[in-house]
């Protein structure tokens, strides 16, 4: 039960608007322990989640809130970058709208960064997912706001691939290609870490589906090595490690400018009949 609430006064980024994220708020639980909250508007897609897996978009909500929870303790440091994000999806389908609500707590803090954890529930109170983030503080001021107009936002309720403006290329390897797109930038001007995770989830699921695995994402473990600029295409290539009947695993690498920037291991769980 909440006993206090302090809104965070901040303009939402284009990515937060694109994914229907509310502004983060500082709060405390009924024991007086600090926590942070964030919502995601899924009113336009809730009825679609029975047939379309939207698990990848959870990474955007979790990365944003978990990162804020550590960033809020940065002290005199300029900002935070995600080093590792873990997402576990407990309820991959049939979410009840119109809103997902996430709560996050700080687990550990050092002079160099910290670790936070979060839980996501739908409007019926069902536990949808949990997440953990490890982030590093950086001394890099946020860039000046871009003066150019943003492109049009996609229509509400479209598939996740359309949210990030990507396309699937089905060659020897399954690849999701994400063109330069200012709608998916973080506050430092690079590709949002949650969007990267979403793209890797889409690539992994496409590769597993091609291999005959009828699964939904159960977990994703993402390691971020370097920021991804938004002035060129980024390619997320998936390789199937195992495509069993009950469990399937894919590894995904995200490359930009010929360099690997991020890698993930995505595990699928057999879809109930």
């Amino acid at each position: 039960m909440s006993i206090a609430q302090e809104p965070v006064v901040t303009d939402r980024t284009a990515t937060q608007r694109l994914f229907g994220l509310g502004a983060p708020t500082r709060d405390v639980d009924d024991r007086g322990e600090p926590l942070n909250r964030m919502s995601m508007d899924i009113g336009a897609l809730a009825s679609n989640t029975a047939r379309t897996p939207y698990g990848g978009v959870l990474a955007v909500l979790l990365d944003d809130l978990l990162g804020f929870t550590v960033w809020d303790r940065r002290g005199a440091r300029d900002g935070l970058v995600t080093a590792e994000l873990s997402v576990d999806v407990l309820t991959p389908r049939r979410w009840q709208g119109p809103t997902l609500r996430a709560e996050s707590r700080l687990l550990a803090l050092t002079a160099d960064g910290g670790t936070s954890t979060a839980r996501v529930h739908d409007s019926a109170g069902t536990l949808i997912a949990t997440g953990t983030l490890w982030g590093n503080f950086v001394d890099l001021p946020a860039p000046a706001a871009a003066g150019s107009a943003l492109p049009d936002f996609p229509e509400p309720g479209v598939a996740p691939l359309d949210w990030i403006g990507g396309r699937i290329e089905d060659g020897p390897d399954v690849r999701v290609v994400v063109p330069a797109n200012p709608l998916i930038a973080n506050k430092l001007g690079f590709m949002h870490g949650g969007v990267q995770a979403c793209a890797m989830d889409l690539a992994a699921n496409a590769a597993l589906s091609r291999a005959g695995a009828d699964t939904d994402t159960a977990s994703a473990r993402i390691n971020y090595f370097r920021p991804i600029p938004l002035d060129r295409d980024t390619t997320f290539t998936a390789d199937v490690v195992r495509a069993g009947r009950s469990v399937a695993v894919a590894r995904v690498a995200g490359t930009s400018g010929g360099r690997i920037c991020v890698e993930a291991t995505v595990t699928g769980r057999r879809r109930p009949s």
Side-chain angles (χ1 to χ4, degrees), residues 30-173:
D30 54 0
R31 297 178 298 175
E33 298 294 330
L35 57 83
N36 296 313
R37 302 182 191 274
M38 182 179 279
S39 63
M40 173 182 274
D41 180 5
I42 62 164
L45 63 87
S47 59
N48 297 342
T49 63
R51 60 182 181 275
T52 302
Y54 281 83
V57 306
L58 295 171
V60 183
L61 169 62
L62 286 165
D63 183 64
D64 223 73
L65 177 59
L66 289 164
F68 171 79
T69 298
V70 180
W71 173 91
D72 205 30
R73 303 293 189 90
R74 71 196 183 284
R77 306 297 293 274
D78 288 326
L80 178 88
V81 293
T82 303
E84 182 175 279
L85 175 67
S86 298
V87 178
D88 289 285
V89 182
L90 291 311
T91 308
R93 293 177 182 260
R94 295 179 175 82
W95 303 344
Q96 299 299 307
T99 307
L100 299 182
R101 302 189 183 279
E103 295 183 349
S104 175
R105 290 173 168 81
L106 187 72
L107 292 179
L109 185 70
T110 70
D112 297 318
T115 304
S116 53
T117 186
R119 295 162 65 91
V120 181
H121 293 82
D122 69 4
S123 292
T126 302
L127 180 61
I128 300 299
T130 63
T132 303
L133 177 144
W134 162 38
N136 294 322
F137 296 132
V138 294
D139 295 314
L140 182 65
S148 58
L150 292 172
D152 292 337
F153 284 74
E155 292 296 322
V158 299
L161 191 66
D162 295 318
W163 287 23
I164 62 177
R167 64 182 185 271
I168 293 179
E169 295 183 352
D170 193 0
D173 298 307

Side-chain angles (χ1 to χ4, degrees), residues 6-11 23-24 26:
E6 179 188 356
V8 175
V9 180
T10 179
D11 292 330
R26 302 182 186 95

Side-chain angles (χ1 to χ4, degrees), residues 231-245:
D231 59 353
R232 67 194 71 167
D233 288 359
T234 304
T235 301
F236 299 91
T237 304
D239 294 310
V240 174
V241 177
R242 175 178 172 78
R245 294 183 60 190

